[in-house]
Amino acid sequence: MVYALSIVALIAIFTVATLTPINMGILAFAGAFVIGGWVSGIPVEDIIDAFPGSTFIIVGGITLLFAIAKANGTIDLVIEASLRLVRGRRWAILWMMFLLSGLLMALGSVLAVGMLAPIAMPLAAKNRINPFLMGMVISHGALACAFSPINLYGAFINGLMDSTGVGANPLVLFALPFVLNLAIAIVLFLIYGLDLIGHRTPRPVEEASDGGGFGGSSRRPSGGGAPAGGPGGNTATLTDREVIEEALNHEGMKPVKMNRYRLATLAGIGFLVVGSVAFGIDVGVSSICVSAVLLLMAPKSHPKVVDNVAWPAVVLVCGMLTYMAVMTQNGTLDFLGDAASALGSPLLTTLILCYAVAIISAFGSSIGTLGIALPLAAPMLAMGEVGAVGFVAALAFSATVVDVSPFSTNGVMVLANAQVEDKARFQRKMLAYCGLIVLSAPMLVWALVVVPTSV
């Protein structure tokens, strides 16, 4: 009875949080006390002790550091410098956006696509880049780095696997989604973007700003000379300072210059990455310390920066991990492990789970879906019948690669900022692409990763 109620409560938490704006973490905390205390008889003190303090520090610290970097202009500085590096090469614009999206996600911004889409999609229209290609490339760029050990998704999965006793492998968890999403982006480029390779393509100013410019304004050259990168005539390309500044200003971004505060922010982020990867320094502790130093450097510049911390994400992660700890203590995970072993085909079970998380996540929360799937899979992984590391990475990839859906946060931002005449048609194309991903990605990752590591 206890096991059934624990599972039903978990499903109810996910369903209610998906259909309503209630934070899943709040429901998970409540479920932990109800199922753990009243139903399972676990002392309240033990449930409180199960609170994932280390994960709280990691997620809170990383989002605080990123909020500071955004507020002090460091993020704008990186985006501006990146745009200037491409120097009007259309293929380079596309891949620079892929790299920027991945970088922002890797450093802790789960809303990387939301930050770049208002810039990337008008840039696509301005430079004759297929808008569908641009939207999917920035989405896959973010998803490629979704499981960086210093961001929300990576901290959640690694903490969850440690709490269930399976053990985490941050390197494999990061590398597998990165390689597969990069491969998908390359395939999309080969299909839609080969015409971007070659010389810079100038466009008439009138055409560039006809319904596809930044804010719909029409700009004309002030003189009769040809701008840099053009063969002559009234043309404008991305190499023009005016066009770049127009892109930056689209979302209120203004050109920024390096100063000691932004330099210190970049140095702090570098210390965080190098310290965690090369020396094993705790990510949460170092991010809090770096954030404290940056705040002390300019204590009056960001009085409300703490308000920009992703507290809903912190609550969601910590709540789900606490509920998972209750399911471990009351024996539900052991029960699910026995049930999984009774199916007789661990590999078939893994394939079913990969498809299940892909389908559910296409319409719901990726991290919430993983919060259900991984605990269900943990007992089977502990039995050693399938490769634990490969299967966890496969589940993580299957649950997030479908975030190209027009119903996901990433998809919504791409659709909203697409410079196209028929938004409904563009949405249908995104939905068809998502359907293709749902059908193919789980089978692909299962065949490439799960099967070879389970033999």
Side-chain angles (χ1 to χ4, degrees):
M1 185 64 176
V2 171
Y3 307 148
L5 289 175
S6 298
I7 297 170
V8 170
L10 180 62
I11 296 173
I13 289 170
F14 176 80
T15 303
V16 173
T18 301
L19 299 177
T20 70
I22 301 175
N23 187 290
M24 189 181 298
I26 295 176
L27 298 175
F29 275 125
F33 288 108
V34 172
I35 298 298
W38 293 353
V39 177
S40 305
I42 300 174
V44 174
E45 293 79 8
D46 291 348
I47 300 175
I48 295 175
D49 289 341
F51 179 84
S54 60
T55 303
F56 174 84
I57 294 295
I58 291 174
V59 179
I62 289 297
T63 54
L64 173 62
L65 179 57
F66 196 88
I68 294 172
K70 176 63 179 174
N72 67 21
T74 302
I75 300 301
D76 293 355
L77 179 69
V78 171
I79 294 176
E80 178 186 353
S82 301
L83 286 175
R84 296 190 188 284
L85 281 175
V86 302
R87 301 182 64 83
R89 297 177 180 87
R90 296 191 299 155
W91 65 267
I93 297 171
L94 186 76
W95 288 107
M96 180 60 73
M97 286 299 166
F98 178 91
L99 293 175
L100 272 176
S101 186
L103 177 63
L104 294 176
M105 177 66 87
L107 294 178
S109 174
V110 294
L111 299 177
V113 175
M115 294 176 61
L116 288 180
I119 297 174
M121 300 309 289
L123 275 176
K126 183 76 78 173
N127 291 274
R128 286 183 177 174
I129 299 173
N130 187 300
F132 175 76
L133 175 62
M134 177 64 85
M136 296 305 99
V137 162
I138 61 173
S139 295
H140 284 295
L143 297 173
C145 297
F147 294 96
S148 161
I150 61 172
N151 77 359
L152 169 65
Y153 284 88
F156 175 69
I157 301 301
N158 291 322
L160 187 59
M161 299 319 297
D162 285 335
S163 68
T164 54
V166 175
N169 190 319
L171 179 59
V172 174
L173 179 64
F174 174 79
L176 177 64
F178 179 85
V179 170
L180 292 178
N181 276 286
L182 175 60
I184 293 173
I186 291 174
V187 171
L188 288 172
F189 180 77
L190 293 176
I191 296 173
Y192 294 104
L194 286 180
D195 63 311
L196 302 180
I197 299 176
H199 299 291
R200 289 176 291 227
T201 303
R203 300 185 62 190
V205 173
E206 293 86 355
E207 178 185 355
S209 40
D210 182 18
F214 305 95
S217 61
S218 177
R219 292 178 177 265
R220 303 175 185 271
S222 56
N234 292 334
T235 58
T237 70
L238 187 62
T239 53
D240 291 335
R241 182 180 183 85
E242 181 183 61
V243 177
I244 296 175
E245 291 182 354
E246 197 174 7
L248 296 173
N249 290 333
H250 183 65
E251 285 296 301
M253 293 174 57
K254 297 181 179 180
V256 293
K257 297 181 179 180
M258 180 68 75
N259 57 28
R260 66 183 187 90
Y261 195 26
R262 294 174 187 129
L263 180 62
T265 303
L266 291 173
I269 294 174
F271 168 78
L272 177 69
V273 174
V274 174
S276 61
V277 174
F279 302 102
I281 301 175
D282 184 89
V283 174
V285 173
S286 56
S287 60
I288 290 290
C289 292
V290 170
S291 298
V293 171
L294 293 175
L295 290 174
L296 287 172
M297 288 181 63
K300 297 182 180 179
S301 298
H302 311 300
K304 296 183 178 181
V305 71
V306 177
D307 296 341
N308 295 325
V309 174
W311 295 117
V314 175
V315 172
L316 187 154
V317 170
C318 293
M320 289 301 297
L321 290 178
T322 302
Y323 189 81
M324 291 309 111
V326 167
M327 291 184 69
T328 301
Q329 293 182 42
N330 68 10
T332 301
L333 294 187
D334 291 335
F335 166 77
L336 291 172
D338 295 338
S341 62
L343 294 177
S345 179
L347 280 178
L348 178 59
T349 303
T350 60
L351 179 60
I352 293 173
L353 279 174
C354 284
Y355 269 107
V357 298
I359 294 170
I360 295 172
S361 184
F363 299 94
S365 165
S366 297
I367 199 166
T369 304
L370 287 171
I372 293 178
L374 286 173
L376 298 181
M380 182 176 61
L381 298 176
M383 292 185 293
E385 296 182 351
V386 295
V389 175
F391 181 37
V392 170
L395 275 179
F397 171 74
S398 298
T400 53
V401 71
V402 296
D403 282 349
V404 294
S405 162
F407 302 109
S408 69
T409 302
N410 290 351
V412 167
M413 292 304 299
V414 168
L415 180 62
N417 291 280
Q419 303 292 310
V420 295
E421 294 182 1
D422 191 342
K423 286 289 185 76
R425 182 180 179 184
F426 190 78
Q427 183 183 35
R428 289 194 298 270
K429 189 170 185 177
M430 290 179 64
L431 188 58
Y433 175 69
C434 178
L436 178 62
I437 291 294
V438 169
L439 288 175
S440 59
M443 177 63 74
L444 176 67
V445 74
W446 179 80
L448 292 179
V449 179
V450 179
V451 174
T453 59
S454 302
V455 175

